[in-house]
Structures are given as C-alpha cells and as structure tokens.
C-alpha cells in the first residue's frame, strides 16, 4: 500500500499518512489528501524533532536500498553531511548512518536525486547529490 511521509517545518517532525487501497489496484489518492481521509483517520509521527528544512535542507525517499522492501530516506544535513535512514512501517529511530562526513562543499548542492552508480556517491544505484552553480561535483 502506498503511504505518504511528509515534513512539517512548524514542528520539525516527519509525519506518516497511511493510504487506503483503491478498488481495483493502487491507492485511493483521496486517502492521502488529508489526515481525516487516511487509514486510521490521523497522521502518525514518523520522525521526531530535528527534521526542519533548516536542519535538513535536502530529504529524499527512495525504494529500499537495504533490501528489506521498505522505502528508505536519505538526508543532507545543514552541516554538509549525508545520512541514510532505513525506512520503517511505523517510525524512524536513531540518527541514521553517516554516509558522507561533514564537508562544506555538500552545503552548496541544490538537490539530491537517484543515480545509476556514477558520480560522487558511486556505490551502485542510489542517491546522488546534484551540484549547484554549474559545478560537476567535488
């Protein structure tokens, strides 16, 4: 079933909204439109404080990168480090695994995206950080 994880800058938290199956297949998109329409009728806290856009400028969900079939999260923190968060069906725990140590050049990237094993994060298919200002990476 398709669910939605979103960030609230007001609370600095991540929230999980559980989808409802559509008749036939897929997800009923109206179940993701509001908390009241979702499975359970309320959003659930998915990530405790510290997820504001000023603390985590770049955040991206991807298909499972660790083979457990649960989508994962990749985060570039304000200090320039990148962390991997193994997804969960209920809530994230811990600070995640540091994939790239603090580095000033990571602070200037404009987005993270899905790569094919090329570029600065070349470890096979996975996220890559897109450079800003026409730069081709570190």
């Amino acid at each position: 079933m398709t669910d939605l994880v979103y960030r609230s800058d007001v609370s600095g938290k991540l929230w999980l909204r559980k989808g409802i199956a559509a008749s036939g297949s897929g997800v009923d998109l109206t179940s993701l439109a509001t908390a009241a329409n979702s499975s359970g009728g309320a959003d659930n806290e998915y990530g405790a404080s510290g997820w504001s856009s000023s603390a985590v400028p770049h955040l991206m969900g991807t298909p499972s990168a660790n083979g457990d079939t649960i989508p994962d999260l990749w985060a570039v923190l304000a200090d320039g480090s990148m962390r991997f968060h193994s997804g969960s069906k209920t809530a994230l725990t811990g600070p995640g695994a540091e994939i790239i140590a603090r580095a000033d050049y990571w602070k200037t990237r404009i987005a993270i995206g899905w790569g094919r094993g090329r570029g600065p994060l070349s470890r096979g298919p996975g996220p890559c950080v897109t450079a800003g200002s026409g730069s081709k990476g570190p």
Side-chain angles (χ1 to χ4, degrees):
M1 177 49 43
T2 301
D3 297 325
L4 173 71
V5 172
Y6 69 95
R7 168 180 23 207
S8 167
D9 257 349
V10 174
S11 67
K13 296 179 181 182
L14 295 179
W15 295 94
L16 173 64
R17 182 170 295 163
K18 294 191 172 256
I20 297 173
S23 59
S25 67
V27 66
D28 178 351
L29 292 178
T30 61
S31 71
L32 299 176
T34 67
N37 291 348
S38 68
S39 176
D43 293 339
N44 302 301
E45 185 177 295
Y46 191 70
S49 64
W51 289 95
S52 69
S53 58
S54 60
V56 184
H58 302 295
L59 181 62
M60 183 176 133
T62 64
S64 178
N66 59 1
D68 66 3
T69 72
I70 300 170
D72 299 316
L73 288 174
W74 300 81
V76 177
L77 306 185
D79 68 4
S81 64
M82 177 179 262
R83 294 192 172 268
F84 169 77
H85 297 269
S86 180
S88 165
K89 292 182 179 183
T90 56
L92 295 179
T93 58
E98 187 173 84
I99 302 301
I100 297 179
R102 296 176 184 189
D104 285 340
Y105 53 78
W106 291 112
K107 295 180 192 180
T108 62
R109 302 308 184 235
I110 58 172
I112 52 178
W114 196 255
R116 297 196 180 272
R118 296 181 204 111
L121 299 180
S122 183
R123 291 190 182 125
C128 58
V129 178
T130 303
S133 306
S135 171
K136 295 184 180 180

